[in-house]
Amino acid sequence: MAEKWSFLQDQDVLDFNRDIERYHLGPLWHAIPDLMKHQPEPHAQAYLWKYSLLEKKLMEATQIFTPDRGGERRAIYLQNPGLNYRKPWGWASTTQTLYAAVQLILPGETAPSHRHVQNALRFVMEGEGAYTIVQGERIFMERGDFLTTPNGFWHGHGHPGTKPMIWMDCLDIPTIYFLGGTFFDPYPERLQEPEVPDNYSAQRYEGGMVRPISDRYPKKAPLAAYKWKRTHEALEGLSRFEPDPYDGYAVEYINPSTGETACPTIASWMQKLPKGFHTKAHRHTHASIYHVFEGSGYTIINGVRFDWEKGDFFVVPNWAWHEHVAEEDSYLFSTNDLPILEKFGLEREEAFENNNGHQTVTGEFTPVLG
Amino acid sequence: MAEKWSFLQDQDVLDFNRDIERYHLGPLWHAIPDLMKHQPEPHAQAYLWKYSLLEKKLMEATQIFTPDRGGERRAIYLQNPGLNYRKPWGWASTTQTLYAAVQLILPGETAPSHRHVQNALRFVMEGEGAYTIVQGERIFMERGDFLTTPNGFWHGHGHPGTKPMIWMDCLDIPTIYFLGGTFFDPYPERLQEPEVPDNYSAQRYEGGMVRPISDRYPKKAPLAAYKWKRTHEALEGLSRFEPDPYDGYAVEYINPSTGETACPTIASWMQKLPKGFHTKAHRHTHASIYHVFEGSGYTIINGVRFDWEKGDFFVVPNWAWHEHVAEEDSYLFSTNDLPILEKFGLEREEAFENNNGHQTVTGEFTPVLG
Amino acid sequence: MAEKWSFLQDQDVLDFNRDIERYHLGPLWHAIPDLMKHQPEPHAQAYLWKYSLLEKKLMEATQIFTPDRGGERRAIYLQNPGLNYRKPWGWASTTQTLYAAVQLILPGETAPSHRHVQNALRFVMEGEGAYTIVQGERIFMERGDFLTTPNGFWHGHGHPGTKPMIWMDCLDIPTIYFLGGTFFDPYPERLQEPEVPDNYSAQRYEGGMVRPISDRYPKKAPLAAYKWKRTHEALEGLSRFEPDPYDGYAVEYINPSTGETACPTIASWMQKLPKGFHTKAHRHTHASIYHVFEGSGYTIINGVRFDWEKGDFFVVPNWAWHEHVAEEDSYLFSTNDLPILEKFGLEREEAFENNNGHQTVTGEFTPVLG
Amino acid sequence: MAEKWSFLQDQDVLDFNRDIERYHLGPLWHAIPDLMKHQPEPHAQAYLWKYSLLEKKLMEATQIFTPDRGGERRAIYLQNPGLNYRKPWGWASTTQTLYAAVQLILPGETAPSHRHVQNALRFVMEGEGAYTIVQGERIFMERGDFLTTPNGFWHGHGHPGTKPMIWMDCLDIPTIYFLGGTFFDPYPERLQEPEVPDNYSAQRYEGGMVRPISDRYPKKAPLAAYKWKRTHEALEGLSRFEPDPYDGYAVEYINPSTGETACPTIASWMQKLPKGFHTKAHRHTHASIYHVFEGSGYTIINGVRFDWEKGDFFVVPNWAWHEHVAEEDSYLFSTNDLPILEKFGLEREEAFENNNGHQTVTGEFTPVLG
């Protein structure tokens, strides 16, 4: 390669670039090696955020972001250090395509109803008593619950309970922003009124792989909330058999009317790694955001060890080698952009062949505690 | 109409028909009123079979059909009286498109493994201890379980238990026969050997609307057996809300990797009708076969009352007005050919508008007891 | 097999059959060998109809079927000798699933507008000057044109011209009748009035593989008429290369908004066989109806030679070995039920391996001339 | 809004932002108004490049980019002035999602074969005699031809002719780069050898809406080159009727095996605007790149008049009001990202209601001539 591209630094070539740039023209022969990589070289980096830090900053944020002051949500999102270059035009996102955030709502507060073309999902981390209202369904949230609000669904939150409530948000904000097709509408009132009984859809899906016959034709989100109790049962059943060498025991939340992933653009998985389980390393073109729901252990990403414990978040960028080790029974909730990459035929996966599938650890990540 | 078609009986017209018939030609102008009805006029009729009769004949069949005598299955199927005209070329089926049968297997017996392009499903009515082996998965069956063996899947049965076992079979035999594309293969040995742990797939789907990530791409039947316990939980959840005016509380078994109905050509529903519930009447182009899993009541089909109790079977033909009345809490399992009609854009539905949605009863069906 | 099924003829078994038949029950163990064949054994037979016969009978039919006498269409359809058993319940169709007919309209006549759920297509054989009105588009037909009127489209015909006009009709009448979902509506007036310019859609598709941008989303039939001139050009282009060993130079008419076959349930092909070309033999689960548009030659079907010339029709049933020989440059228009078999995953194909792909001729078909 | 967001500038809020930024955290409440716009506010701007400028720079580039010097293609691409902010991380693209470029190849030159996951298409502007080799098919290109090389197809160019050849390239480079899933492979030799006859696929599709039966199942690009002669015929046919008020007479290049747009991620349209035709204004979420193939006129984009003549290029960004006026019979070739926006359910369209659908001209664009 070097040979092939050395001419790009010749003076006459650089001069030509400068010349045509004045006319808003660029040399494709120079852009090609920069933009059409032989394999993915994402700007996004592997990174880990400690829950202690996130919780501390969320609590401080209660002084900054107050419902009466305006604004939509009290949420702090995770900025990928490798994506800081995007700040001039916006904000550093968590992966190339997704935003992950932690949101805090205090008893007595509400977060206004709105809708947008961005797809969103929610995973409940701490607390109880708060509800969300999605398209007229009020849903009381409990730790471990997974919720989705696809493109165009009204949603707002309220908290009649007694303790602070914290959840993870994940949205495809950077993708939609990149495509340039954003639409956002505030709801006429502060909060939409419930139009069906509380926790309606979760109760309509309390059993096995059956659906109400009225949901037999494609719907965006016939099931708005997936209760932890049920997801946990699923993992218990799966755990009676051999684990997947790369993912242990992992399930995907689905849309029961289409069989597709629950949120149109973001795949959401919950995986169980039994104490002592060490996955084999692989890499794929989609990127993942992990939240440690339970347990502790570490993940080796491109040779660097990231230790994690309950509440932490970490990112595995596109095409990064990664393997997990659980030091106690662990449950990892994760979101990824596989559904987006599949739309473009870009998904590829590769197993780490050497050393029986295990990377050599070349370094350790030191978390910032704040 | 009469006017328009009267000429078809004129002597010269009849003579012409006879003449061209010798050359294997027919008058389309005459076939049109016979075959292109203004609305469905199925040959299939409404009919009901008592369980006492079915059980009696199955027991007698143990003398006739013995595994050592040859043959594939000890199953007696339901012949629709309206479809007797088909006997010259085959057998009267249960509806235009489907076969429903009751199958009995005795302790110690086996039914040989085979595969065919016909799609099949099974609903367990009585007994316990028998198993089926579907594509190398041995599944022990219990009352209320639903199982599916799609096009091309090996399946055979065995019974190490102690009591006779009875289940309902439903297949698309008449449809595949009509289309003329049948293929059938016996398995090299009497029974296929298990290749995965017993009851594997049901245990992989023990929780809510999540699936093992390895099943995220379309599979024919990632879940082979749907346990009654789970289906019952689903109906309990659904029952907290308003019933559907036509179907009460009804769920459809789905393929979790596609969101489609569990069996490619046959929709399978389980519905709960609370004691005293009286549905409104409607009709649709698809035909249904009902099995009374629990309870008692009656169904009014085109004005005729069909009383049913636990174990009975009855048919609602295409485009027949029908409404159900439950005299105790009842569970009706049913299969229908909606997936087939949808492939041809033929599904239509119509509500019975008069008399607040209720038909006038003009007669009663008298069951044959044998 | 014999062994395995011999017990079906035992007296006690036959007695049992007779006994349960009284209760509208049947022995599945006996139906299985009759209906679930190891490979397709269609009732439909290979057969050939001479054009001289068809034309003669159509002319005679002008005395029988007169517009003022009532009825819908002056069309004589082809009855497959193997399907005569269906007459008790209807009419013998041309293949298991399709009807093929020849229709004659005289100058000054009209055929009333109607619509139905059956899908229909038309291929123009002789004459000129007649038009069809499909969903408000009046289309003047010329020899070699292909037209389609899918499920639910209004269509009627008129003939302001000077010479009798004859075309082939093909419909999925037997399939829809079997499924039991027929709907048919006469148009309020004798003929629907044109709502767009004459020959509108064909002119909107006069060029290459481009479509009006308004047709970018799925439509049932954005293009109603495919002109012979264009289809002929396509075959000329294709003929510059190697022919397909089984089909020579063959093209399929497509729906330009979906890429699917032009008529939802019936594939329509036009193939060119250069003088002297001899295809290899193969068989497939779909059945075909051939019309000799130009040329002469013969087709060997399951060892029997069927000689054909311009205007003739012949049937190749499901799973029948067949190969074509062209004695002059020949154009064969054909329709088949591949789209129907594909909906059920039933399509299979097999090459004739022996004797360099050629069957041994064991007999000749003698046409009935009338 | 102002009210609602004013707190974002309060000192304590800004201090908090700075504080958490140290930990790679960001305030979602601040990102929301920046990134989740109430309607699209693309960075991309309307802009126009004169052909005289492009041709001049391409000729100068022959001194800079010489095959023996290395590099892949002698192409100069169009940089959207509004997207200069992207330069820190790459290059300013033509629209948010696409690259458009002009490529020049001289007699005797070759451009090496390579493949990549980016989708590409080509529209021939000037010259003759050059060929491209796409997946082993050598295609000689003529003015007005449209060619496509989807994701993963090998392609390279050669020029045995006598005059310089120029074409437009359009690729989804920025989209794939954003998603982070790039793969690129050089071909083992300089140029792939032809494996089929020259201009094979175009000759296989010389007729109407029919396809070779071997292409009936989905293929990425069964037709690699769409000849201008055929596209022109299509526009002539369409031109006999009423023009579309927004697009005149416009056709889309399609993949004949799927009915989808010819290039998976980029829609390609050719439209004819008769002399004097003035379209109505509308806007949509997809963005377009126009190339003036023939004629002259102007386009009003968000009130600004852009005059164009043969060879020019101009961009209509997402959600920009636009209307065209043709001063002579004009043919506009355009590409857009509608297929990408549709994958995310983001496409919306709006008609300009006031002033009979016409904008008020508030300014004129002054082209840079160089």
Side-chain angles (χ1 to χ4, degrees):
Chain A
M1 290 295 294
E3 179 60 34
K4 187 175 180 184
W5 304 110
S6 57
F7 78 100
L8 294 177
Q9 302 316 320
D10 296 348
Q11 196 53 51
D12 63 333
V13 175
L14 295 171
D15 292 344
F16 184 80
N17 292 4
R18 254 186 301 285
D19 169 58
I20 62 176
E21 191 162 11
R22 292 182 293 126
Y23 308 106
H24 299 298
L25 299 173
L28 190 64
W29 55 81
H30 197 155
I32 287 174
D34 283 2
L35 303 183
M36 299 171 75
K37 304 294 189 186
H38 284 220
Q39 62 180 36
E41 298 177 19
H43 293 275
Q45 299 172 10
Y47 197 76
L48 180 144
W49 294 262
K50 298 298 295 177
Y51 182 59
S52 56
L53 169 68
L54 297 172
E55 191 177 28
K56 180 159 171 287
K57 294 304 170 184
L58 271 177
M59 288 308 169
E60 290 171 21
T62 59
Q63 305 307 310
I64 296 305
F65 182 98
T66 54
D68 58 327
R69 208 173 185 183
E72 297 284 331
R73 300 287 188 260
R74 182 191 292 118
I76 291 177
Y77 78 95
L78 313 179
Q79 297 191 333
N80 193 296
L83 300 174
N84 281 335
Y85 70 81
R86 286 189 181 170
K87 288 187 179 173
W89 59 281
W91 301 82
S93 51
T94 312
T95 69
Q96 306 262 135
T97 57
L98 304 178
Y99 254 47
V102 284
Q103 180 164 175
L104 168 65
I105 186 167
L106 295 175
E109 293 183 339
T110 61
S113 290
H114 61 215
R115 70 178 176 191
H116 41 68
V117 292
Q118 290 82 0
N119 294 282
L121 61 88
R122 209 165 296 116
F123 183 77
V124 183
M125 296 161 60
E126 290 298 344
E128 61 185 3
Y131 61 78
T132 182
I133 299 180
V134 177
Q135 285 291 94
E137 174 184 351
R138 185 166 65 167
I139 301 160
F140 284 88
M141 300 180 280
E142 300 174 294
R143 173 167 160 78
D145 292 353
F146 167 80
L147 298 89
T148 176
T149 56
N151 175 341
F153 272 39
W154 293 112
H155 56 288
H157 316 307
H159 194 347
T162 58
K163 289 160 37 193
M165 187 132 184
I166 298 177
W167 63 73
M168 168 191 182
D169 285 312
C170 186
L171 302 96
D172 54 14
I173 290 174
T175 303
I176 306 305
Y177 183 81
F178 170 83
L179 297 175
T182 60
F183 291 91
F184 179 104
D185 305 298
Y187 194 75
E189 288 83 44
R190 174 79 183 176
L191 279 183
Q192 184 184 22
E193 284 302 312
E195 297 163 357
V196 295
D198 289 348
N199 307 312
Y200 182 63
S201 62
Q203 294 181 82
R204 296 178 76 241
Y205 282 92
E206 278 205 346
M209 279 297 160
V210 294
R211 71 179 157 223
I213 60 174
S214 55
D215 292 351
R216 93 183 300 266
Y217 300 103
K219 292 186 172 183
K220 259 190 190 175
L223 174 55
Y226 300 67
K227 304 299 292 178
W228 167 243
K229 177 179 175 307
R230 310 302 321 289
T231 305
H232 184 254
E233 284 168 26
L235 288 167
E236 289 308 294
L238 199 54
S239 300
R240 298 194 195 108
F241 308 110
E242 279 304 297
D244 176 275
Y246 300 105
D247 296 296
Y249 303 106
V251 293
E252 175 170 31
Y253 300 86
I254 65 171
N255 174 334
S257 75
T258 63
E260 291 168 5
T261 197
C263 188
T265 54
I266 311 172
S268 308
W269 296 352
M270 172 59 80
Q271 78 199 85
K272 175 185 177 179
L273 301 173
K275 180 175 180 174
F277 187 68
H278 187 158
T279 72
K280 292 191 172 222
H282 69 154
R283 63 181 179 179
H284 35 63
T285 43
H286 66 273
S288 304
I289 301 164
Y290 287 86
H291 163 63
V292 183
F293 181 58
E294 286 286 358
S296 63
Y298 59 91
T299 297
I300 305 165
I301 309 173
N302 287 338
V304 178
R305 170 175 168 152
F306 290 74
D307 285 273
W308 40 258
E309 63 191 333
K310 180 177 174 182
D312 295 348
F313 286 80
F314 62 96
V315 166
V316 175
N318 322 53
W319 212 234
W321 294 115
H322 58 285
E323 62 195 282
H324 306 295
V325 181
E327 291 173 329
E328 37 180 346
D329 282 358
S330 302
Y331 292 89
L332 301 180
F333 173 78
S334 65
T335 61
N336 66 65
D337 57 3
L338 177 53
I340 297 176
L341 291 177
E342 285 176 328
K343 292 179 198 294
F344 295 86
L346 294 176
E347 176 64 358
R348 295 194 195 181
E349 186 180 0
E350 199 170 283
F352 188 82
E353 299 298 355
N354 309 334
N355 187 31
N356 190 30
H358 296 307
Q359 308 164 73
T360 308
V361 178
T362 59
E364 285 200 24
F365 174 82
T366 309
V368 182
L369 295 175
Chain B
M1 290 296 293
E3 178 62 33
K4 186 175 181 185
W5 304 112
S6 57
F7 78 101
L8 295 176
Q9 301 316 321
D10 295 348
Q11 196 53 50
D12 63 334
V13 176
L14 295 172
D15 292 344
F16 185 80
N17 293 3
R18 252 185 302 284
D19 169 56
I20 63 175
E21 192 162 8
R22 292 182 295 127
Y23 308 107
H24 299 298
L25 298 174
L28 190 64
W29 56 81
H30 198 154
I32 287 175
D34 282 3
L35 302 183
M36 299 171 74
K37 304 294 188 185
H38 283 221
Q39 62 180 36
E41 298 178 19
H43 293 275
Q45 299 172 11
Y47 197 77
L48 181 144
W49 295 262
K50 298 298 294 178
Y51 182 60
S52 56
L53 169 69
L54 298 172
E55 191 177 27
K56 180 158 170 289
K57 294 303 171 187
L58 272 177
M59 288 309 170
E60 291 171 21
T62 59
Q63 305 309 312
I64 297 303
F65 182 98
T66 53
D68 59 327
R69 208 173 184 183
E72 297 283 332
R73 300 288 187 261
R74 182 191 293 119
I76 291 176
Y77 77 96
L78 313 179
Q79 296 191 335
N80 193 296
L83 300 174
N84 282 336
Y85 69 81
R86 286 188 182 172
K87 288 187 181 173
W89 60 280
W91 300 82
S93 51
T94 313
T95 68
Q96 306 261 133
T97 57
L98 303 178
Y99 254 48
V102 285
Q103 179 164 175
L104 168 65
I105 185 167
L106 296 174
E109 292 182 340
T110 60
S113 290
H114 60 215
R115 70 178 177 190
H116 40 68
V117 293
Q118 290 82 1
N119 294 282
L121 61 88
R122 208 166 297 116
F123 183 77
V124 183
M125 295 162 60
E126 291 299 343
E128 62 187 1
Y131 61 77
T132 182
I133 298 181
V134 178
Q135 286 292 93
E137 174 185 351
R138 185 167 65 166
I139 301 161
F140 285 88
M141 300 181 280
E142 300 174 293
R143 173 167 158 78
D145 291 353
F146 167 80
L147 297 89
T148 176
T149 56
N151 175 341
F153 272 38
W154 292 112
H155 56 288
H157 316 308
H159 194 347
T162 58
K163 291 161 34 196
M165 187 131 185
I166 298 177
W167 62 73
M168 168 191 182
D169 285 313
C170 187
L171 301 96
D172 55 14
I173 289 173
T175 303
I176 305 304
Y177 183 81
F178 170 83
L179 297 176
T182 59
F183 290 91
F184 178 104
D185 305 300
Y187 194 74
E189 288 82 45
R190 174 81 182 175
L191 279 183
Q192 183 184 22
E193 283 303 310
E195 297 163 358
V196 295
D198 289 349
N199 307 311
Y200 182 63
S201 62
Q203 293 181 81
R204 295 177 77 241
Y205 282 92
E206 279 207 343
M209 278 297 161
V210 294
R211 73 178 155 225
I213 60 174
S214 56
D215 292 351
R216 92 182 301 266
Y217 300 103
K219 292 186 172 183
K220 259 189 189 176
L223 175 55
Y226 300 67
K227 303 300 291 179
W228 167 244
K229 179 179 176 305
R230 311 300 322 289
T231 305
H232 184 254
E233 284 169 25
L235 289 167
E236 289 310 293
L238 198 55
S239 300
R240 298 193 195 107
F241 309 110
E242 281 304 298
D244 176 276
Y246 300 105
D247 295 297
Y249 303 106
V251 292
E252 175 170 30
Y253 300 85
I254 66 172
N255 174 335
S257 75
T258 63
E260 290 168 5
T261 197
C263 188
T265 54
I266 311 170
S268 308
W269 296 352
M270 173 58 80
Q271 78 198 86
K272 176 185 178 181
L273 301 173
K275 179 176 182 175
F277 187 67
H278 187 157
T279 71
K280 291 192 172 220
H282 69 154
R283 63 180 178 180
H284 35 63
T285 43
H286 66 273
S288 303
I289 301 164
Y290 288 85
H291 164 64
V292 183
F293 180 58
E294 286 285 358
S296 62
Y298 59 90
T299 297
I300 305 164
I301 308 174
N302 286 338
V304 177
R305 170 175 168 151
F306 290 74
D307 285 272
W308 42 257
E309 63 192 334
K310 182 176 174 180
D312 295 348
F313 286 80
F314 60 95
V315 166
V316 175
N318 322 54
W319 211 235
W321 294 115
H322 58 285
E323 62 195 283
H324 307 294
V325 181
E327 291 172 326
E328 38 182 346
D329 283 357
S330 301
Y331 292 89
L332 302 180
F333 173 78
S334 65
T335 61
N336 65 65
D337 57 4
L338 177 53
I340 296 176
L341 291 176
E342 285 176 327
K343 292 179 198 296
F344 295 87
L346 295 176
E347 176 65 359
R348 295 195 195 181
E349 187 180 1
E350 199 171 282
F352 188 82
E353 299 296 357
N354 310 333
N355 187 30
N356 190 30
H358 295 307
Q359 308 164 72
T360 307
V361 177
T362 60
E364 285 199 23
F365 174 82
T366 309
V368 181
L369 295 176
Chain C
M1 290 294 294
E3 179 63 34
K4 186 175 180 185
W5 304 111
S6 58
F7 78 101
L8 295 176
Q9 302 315 321
D10 296 348
Q11 196 52 51
D12 63 333
V13 175
L14 295 172
D15 291 345
F16 184 80
N17 292 5
R18 255 186 299 285
D19 168 56
I20 62 175
E21 191 162 11
R22 292 182 294 127
Y23 307 106
H24 298 298
L25 299 173
L28 190 63
W29 56 81
H30 198 153
I32 286 175
D34 282 2
L35 303 183
M36 299 171 75
K37 303 294 189 186
H38 282 220
Q39 63 179 36
E41 298 178 19
H43 294 275
Q45 298 172 12
Y47 198 77
L48 181 145
W49 294 262
K50 298 299 293 177
Y51 182 60
S52 57
L53 169 68
L54 298 173
E55 191 177 28
K56 178 158 172 288
K57 294 303 170 186
L58 271 177
M59 288 308 168
E60 291 171 21
T62 59
Q63 305 308 311
I64 296 303
F65 181 98
T66 54
D68 59 327
R69 206 172 185 182
E72 297 283 331
R73 300 288 187 260
R74 182 191 291 120
I76 291 176
Y77 77 95
L78 312 179
Q79 296 190 335
N80 193 296
L83 300 174
N84 281 335
Y85 69 81
R86 286 190 181 169
K87 289 186 179 174
W89 60 279
W91 300 81
S93 51
T94 312
T95 68
Q96 305 261 136
T97 57
L98 303 178
Y99 254 48
V102 284
Q103 180 164 175
L104 168 65
I105 185 167
L106 295 175
E109 293 182 339
T110 60
S113 290
H114 60 215
R115 70 177 176 192
H116 40 69
V117 294
Q118 289 83 359
N119 294 282
L121 61 87
R122 208 165 297 116
F123 183 77
V124 183
M125 294 162 59
E126 290 299 344
E128 61 185 2
Y131 61 78
T132 183
I133 298 180
V134 178
Q135 285 292 93
E137 174 184 351
R138 184 165 66 167
I139 302 161
F140 284 88
M141 299 179 281
E142 301 174 293
R143 173 167 159 78
D145 291 353
F146 167 81
L147 298 89
T148 175
T149 56
N151 175 340
F153 272 39
W154 292 112
H155 56 288
H157 316 307
H159 194 347
T162 59
K163 288 159 38 192
M165 186 129 186
I166 298 177
W167 62 73
M168 169 191 182
D169 286 311
C170 187
L171 301 96
D172 54 13
I173 289 174
T175 303
I176 306 304
Y177 183 80
F178 170 82
L179 296 175
T182 59
F183 290 91
F184 179 104
D185 304 300
Y187 194 75
E189 287 83 44
R190 175 80 181 177
L191 279 183
Q192 182 184 23
E193 283 303 311
E195 297 163 358
V196 295
D198 289 348
N199 308 311
Y200 182 63
S201 63
Q203 293 181 82
R204 295 178 77 240
Y205 281 91
E206 279 206 344
M209 279 297 159
V210 294
R211 72 178 157 224
I213 60 174
S214 56
D215 292 351
R216 93 182 301 266
Y217 299 104
K219 292 186 172 183
K220 259 190 189 175
L223 175 55
Y226 300 68
K227 304 299 291 179
W228 167 244
K229 177 179 175 306
R230 310 302 321 289
T231 305
H232 184 254
E233 283 168 26
L235 289 168
E236 288 309 293
L238 197 55
S239 300
R240 298 194 194 107
F241 309 110
E242 279 305 297
D244 176 276
Y246 300 104
D247 295 298
Y249 303 106
V251 293
E252 175 170 31
Y253 300 85
I254 65 172
N255 174 334
S257 75
T258 64
E260 291 168 5
T261 197
C263 188
T265 55
I266 312 171
S268 308
W269 296 353
M270 173 58 81
Q271 78 199 85
K272 175 184 177 180
L273 301 174
K275 179 175 181 174
F277 187 67
H278 187 157
T279 71
K280 291 190 172 222
H282 69 155
R283 63 180 180 180
H284 35 62
T285 43
H286 66 273
S288 304
I289 301 164
Y290 287 85
H291 164 64
V292 183
F293 180 58
E294 286 285 358
S296 64
Y298 59 91
T299 297
I300 304 164
I301 309 173
N302 286 339
V304 177
R305 170 174 168 153
F306 290 75
D307 284 272
W308 41 257
E309 63 192 334
K310 181 176 174 182
D312 295 349
F313 286 79
F314 61 96
V315 167
V316 176
N318 321 55
W319 211 235
W321 294 115
H322 58 284
E323 62 194 282
H324 306 294
V325 181
E327 291 173 327
E328 39 181 344
D329 282 357
S330 303
Y331 292 89
L332 302 180
F333 173 78
S334 65
T335 61
N336 65 65
D337 56 3
L338 177 53
I340 296 176
L341 290 178
E342 285 176 328
K343 292 179 198 295
F344 294 87
L346 295 176
E347 176 64 0
R348 295 195 195 181
E349 186 180 2
E350 199 170 282
F352 188 82
E353 300 297 356
N354 309 334
N355 186 30
N356 191 29
H358 295 306
Q359 308 164 74
T360 307
V361 178
T362 59
E364 285 200 23
F365 174 83
T366 309
V368 181
L369 294 176
Chain D
M1 289 296 292
E3 179 61 34
K4 186 175 182 184
W5 304 112
S6 58
F7 78 100
L8 295 176
Q9 302 316 320
D10 296 349
Q11 196 53 51
D12 62 335
V13 175
L14 295 172
D15 292 344
F16 184 81
N17 293 4
R18 254 186 301 285
D19 168 56
I20 62 175
E21 190 161 10
R22 292 182 295 127
Y23 307 106
H24 299 298
L25 298 174
L28 190 64
W29 55 81
H30 197 154
I32 287 174
D34 282 3
L35 303 183
M36 299 172 74
K37 303 294 189 184
H38 283 221
Q39 61 179 38
E41 297 178 20
H43 294 275
Q45 298 172 12
Y47 197 77
L48 180 144
W49 294 261
K50 298 298 294 178
Y51 183 61
S52 57
L53 169 68
L54 298 172
E55 191 176 29
K56 179 159 171 288
K57 294 302 170 186
L58 271 177
M59 288 308 169
E60 290 171 20
T62 59
Q63 304 309 312
I64 296 303
F65 181 97
T66 54
D68 58 327
R69 207 173 184 180
E72 297 283 332
R73 300 286 188 261
R74 183 190 292 118
I76 291 176
Y77 76 95
L78 313 178
Q79 296 191 334
N80 193 296
L83 300 174
N84 282 335
Y85 69 82
R86 286 188 181 170
K87 288 187 180 173
W89 60 282
W91 300 83
S93 52
T94 313
T95 68
Q96 306 261 134
T97 56
L98 303 178
Y99 255 47
V102 283
Q103 181 164 172
L104 168 64
I105 185 167
L106 296 175
E109 293 183 339
T110 61
S113 290
H114 60 215
R115 70 178 177 191
H116 40 68
V117 293
Q118 290 82 0
N119 294 283
L121 60 88
R122 210 165 295 115
F123 183 77
V124 183
M125 295 161 59
E126 291 298 344
E128 61 186 2
Y131 61 78
T132 182
I133 298 180
V134 177
Q135 286 291 94
E137 175 184 351
R138 185 166 65 165
I139 302 160
F140 284 88
M141 299 180 281
E142 300 175 294
R143 174 167 158 79
D145 292 352
F146 167 80
L147 298 89
T148 176
T149 56
N151 176 340
F153 271 40
W154 292 113
H155 56 288
H157 317 308
H159 193 346
T162 57
K163 291 161 36 195
M165 186 129 186
I166 297 176
W167 61 74
M168 168 190 181
D169 284 313
C170 186
L171 301 97
D172 54 14
I173 289 174
T175 303
I176 306 304
Y177 183 80
F178 170 83
L179 297 175
T182 60
F183 291 91
F184 179 104
D185 304 299
Y187 194 74
E189 289 83 45
R190 174 82 183 175
L191 279 183
Q192 184 184 21
E193 284 302 312
E195 297 163 356
V196 295
D198 289 348
N199 307 312
Y200 182 63
S201 63
Q203 294 181 82
R204 296 178 76 240
Y205 282 92
E206 279 206 343
M209 279 297 161
V210 294
R211 73 178 156 224
I213 60 173
S214 55
D215 292 351
R216 91 183 301 266
Y217 300 103
K219 291 186 173 183
K220 259 190 188 175
L223 175 55
Y226 300 67
K227 303 300 291 179
W228 167 244
K229 177 178 177 306
R230 311 301 321 290
T231 305
H232 184 253
E233 283 169 26
L235 289 167
E236 289 309 293
L238 198 54
S239 300
R240 299 194 194 107
F241 309 110
E242 279 305 297
D244 176 275
Y246 300 105
D247 295 297
Y249 303 106
V251 292
E252 175 170 29
Y253 300 86
I254 66 171
N255 174 334
S257 75
T258 64
E260 290 169 4
T261 196
C263 188
T265 55
I266 312 171
S268 308
W269 297 351
M270 173 58 81
Q271 78 198 86
K272 176 185 178 181
L273 301 173
K275 179 175 181 175
F277 187 67
H278 187 158
T279 71
K280 292 193 172 217
H282 69 155
R283 62 180 180 181
H284 35 64
T285 44
H286 66 272
S288 304
I289 301 165
Y290 287 85
H291 164 63
V292 183
F293 181 58
E294 286 286 358
S296 63
Y298 59 91
T299 297
I300 305 164
I301 308 174
N302 287 338
V304 177
R305 169 175 169 152
F306 290 74
D307 285 273
W308 40 258
E309 62 192 334
K310 180 177 176 181
D312 295 349
F313 286 80
F314 61 96
V315 167
V316 175
N318 321 54
W319 211 234
W321 295 114
H322 57 285
E323 61 194 283
H324 306 294
V325 181
E327 291 173 327
E328 41 183 342
D329 282 357
S330 301
Y331 291 89
L332 302 180
F333 173 78
S334 65
T335 61
N336 66 64
D337 57 3
L338 176 54
I340 297 176
L341 290 175
E342 285 176 327
K343 292 179 198 295
F344 295 87
L346 295 176
E347 176 64 0
R348 295 195 195 180
E349 186 181 2
E350 201 170 280
F352 187 83
E353 300 297 357
N354 309 334
N355 186 31
N356 190 29
H358 295 307
Q359 309 164 73
T360 307
V361 177
T362 60
E364 286 200 22
F365 174 83
T366 309
V368 181
L369 295 175

